[in-house]
Structure formats: structure tokens, C-alpha cells
Amino acid sequence: MEKNVNILSIQSWVAYGHVGNAAALFPLQRLGAEVWAVNTVQFSNHPGHGGFTGQVFTGAMIGELVRGIAALGVLAETDAVLSGYLGDESIGEAVLDAVARVRTVRPDMLYCCDPVMGDRGPGLYVRAGIPGLLHGRAVAQADILTPNQFELEQLVPELGDGPHGVQVLADAARGLRGRMHQPGPRCVLVTSVEAQETPAEALDLLLVFDGGAALLRTPRLPINPSGAGDLISALFLFHLRDGSDPVNALERAAASVWGILQRTAEAGSRELLLVQAQDELIRPSRIFRAQLL
């Protein structure tokens, strides 16, 4: 990096494991970013374990923390805002307020919205009101949107639940741009893509951006740990903000995530081995190339 990258990250937090800010904070710091982490929830662990303790914070609390950061006079130094699991609709309002605050003093900042709503299998797992807020307002404000395929289908209801071809998914992602008479996201990165063309032994990433679209395919690993989507959103945002073009940012983020997942699978761990596999963030052991569509 030639300069510091400052990222305001508003996501969930778990004491044990790596999802939300607990998946994004250390990797971003390892790459050299300064991360101002604001937590939307504090749980003992992610709910995938079958039970957890903790609480969802309020939008008022999130707003108070952002105002405290603003009082330090540093919002103009914010290069990017990253949001993930919201926990409550009021937190979504607080996130959009934070984005507006930062844009007022730093118009060229990037807002990356990971529209966390659910996944295939569990379906929707967020509170009522959050899908509508994401679909109706957050998409229009985001520069970067990083839904998984299930979330893309929620954001584009006419798409249905498949199966879909790659071009159909790409067209749906393009359709998110320019909604509500606003510019909308410049990049849409769709994760966990299982299109009609995707081999059973692979998993795809689909990127739609100003210059076109690209598909990146990786071997499927025998695990599906929570937090991988949070991790790739953070890494893609970082590399894009650090000066990479969208396709290169995708390739760099995908290589690091796949390497960490491979190490996690080899160890038989249920949680991402972010610390043990941290070299994958800097020097990925395997590189994947995206194909332009």
C-alpha cells in the first residue's frame, strides 16, 4: 500500500469464531488497513452452533458511536464504509445515516453493502423489515454490493429461486444498478454461485462492474463455514479501495479466501482459521483467474 486505508466497518461481533467484524477486522488489519469497528450485535458465537447468548444493539447506540467518531474530526479520512449483518431495522437506518455523514465530508469514499439476509438451506434469518430496507434503500446507496446467490434472488424477486444460467444471474445483478433513479452499485459481486453451468465439484463467483462482467471458478471444498462471505466482502473492498481494478480485486480476494478455506478444511475446523492461515492474505498459495463474460 502507498497510503493507509481507513475503513469504518459496521457489522456483527462474536466472542468465539469468525463472522461479521470478527471475520473482517483481523484480515483487514493484516493487510495494513485501519479499521474502525462498530458492532451491531455481540453474541457468544454465531447461531449456526445451535444456540448463543448475547444481544442485538440498537440503532440509537450505533448512531451514538458514529457521532462519537465524527466528533474526533476523522470522518473525512474514511476511505470506505463496510456494512454486514444488521440485527435490527433501526440499525440499518443508522448505517445509512453513517454513510450519508461520511459522504458529506468524503464524497469519493466507497460504501460496500453486504446485504446479509440468509442463504440456501436456512432461508431468511434476519428480522422483518431488514430485507425491505436493503432492497428499497441500501442497494441504491451502495457503491459495492456483495450478495450471495440466495440474497441476489431476494433482491431481484422476479428472478425466482432457479436454477439459473450465468447470464441470467449477471443480468439480474446488472438490474440492481440504477434502481430508484439513483446510480446504484458500481460493482455487484455475487458469491456462492451455483449456476446451471457450474460443475458439481466447483463453486463460482460472479462480478458485474462498469466494464462488463467476469466469472471466477474455484474447486469446491468439503466445508461451508460461516463467515466466508463476510471475509470476501472485506477483502474485495480493500483491494478495490487500494487501487486494484475490479477483476484483479476479485482474483486477489478469491485466492485468499480459498486458501484460508482449504487450510480450515484440512484441519477439520468448524471456524475459519484466520490466524493460522494468515499468510494466505498476503501470499495466497493458489491463484485463480477470472474469465470475462
Side-chain angles (χ1 to χ4, degrees):
M1 293 193 309
E2 296 181 357
K3 68 178 185 62
N4 289 334
V5 174
N6 300 318
I7 299 175
L8 172 61
S9 182
I10 308 176
Q11 301 193 67
S12 61
W13 181 264
V14 291
Y16 175 84
H18 298 289
V19 300
N21 268 336
L25 180 61
F26 172 72
L28 289 171
Q29 290 174 328
R30 183 67 179 84
L31 287 167
E34 287 288 346
V35 185
W36 308 333
V38 174
N39 301 326
T40 59
V41 309
Q42 174 117 347
F43 292 161
S44 57
N45 52 271
H46 65 75
H49 284 277
F52 64 94
T53 60
Q55 61 178 309
V56 175
F57 298 142
T58 66
M61 178 181 292
I62 304 306
E64 181 181 349
L65 290 172
V66 173
R67 288 192 296 274
I69 296 172
L72 300 174
V74 297
L75 285 190
E77 301 170 21
T78 309
D79 295 295
V81 175
L82 171 63
S83 70
Y85 182 79
L86 299 174
D88 185 82
E89 186 177 0
S90 68
I91 294 175
E93 298 286 353
V95 168
L96 294 178
D97 180 71
V99 169
R101 280 176 174 269
V102 175
R103 279 211 172 113
T104 298
V105 294
R106 184 67 188 273
D108 67 335
M109 75 89 171
L110 293 179
Y111 170 38
C112 178
C113 173
D114 183 2
V116 178
M117 289 183 280
D119 207 343
R120 292 191 172 184
L124 288 171
Y125 51 64
V126 293
R127 293 183 178 181
I130 290 177
L133 181 141
L134 291 169
H135 180 274
R137 297 174 57 199
V139 168
Q141 295 300 320
D143 299 292
I144 304 163
L145 196 69
T146 59
N148 59 35
Q149 184 173 333
F150 173 84
E151 290 159 347
L152 177 67
E153 292 165 354
Q154 302 306 304
L155 293 171
V156 188
E158 59 270 26
L159 187 59
D161 57 4
H164 306 294
V166 168
Q167 288 295 344
V168 171
L169 294 172
D171 289 343
R174 288 189 189 96
L176 291 173
R177 308 174 69 197
R179 281 192 172 190
M180 299 180 65
H181 309 292
Q182 297 197 41
R186 292 151 48 183
C187 292
V188 179
L189 171 58
V190 187
T191 63
S192 301
V193 172
E194 298 179 72
Q196 290 174 332
E197 300 92 333
T198 308
E201 68 276 10
L203 203 60
D204 290 336
L205 294 162
L206 173 64
L207 175 67
V208 172
F209 56 102
D210 284 341
L215 186 76
L216 187 147
R217 180 163 292 164
T218 63
R220 185 188 292 268
L221 292 165
I223 57 171
N224 186 29
S226 297
D230 305 321
L231 176 60
I232 198 165
S233 295
L235 297 183
F236 179 70
L237 170 62
F238 172 83
H239 290 305
L240 202 61
R241 180 76 276 184
D242 197 38
S244 294
D245 64 72
V247 174
N248 183 247
L250 168 63
E251 292 174 341
R252 295 176 71 179
S256 292
V257 172
W258 193 86
I260 290 170
L261 289 174
Q262 183 186 42
R263 288 281 300 276
T264 301
E266 290 173 347
S269 174
R270 185 170 181 174
E271 302 291 343
L272 294 174
L273 297 185
L274 295 182
V275 176
Q276 297 91 325
Q278 62 182 278
D279 286 351
E280 296 288 342
L281 298 165
I282 308 299
R283 293 175 294 277
S285 54
R286 185 169 176 181
I287 303 298
F288 302 93
R289 296 302 179 193
Q291 301 296 316
L292 295 179
L293 299 178

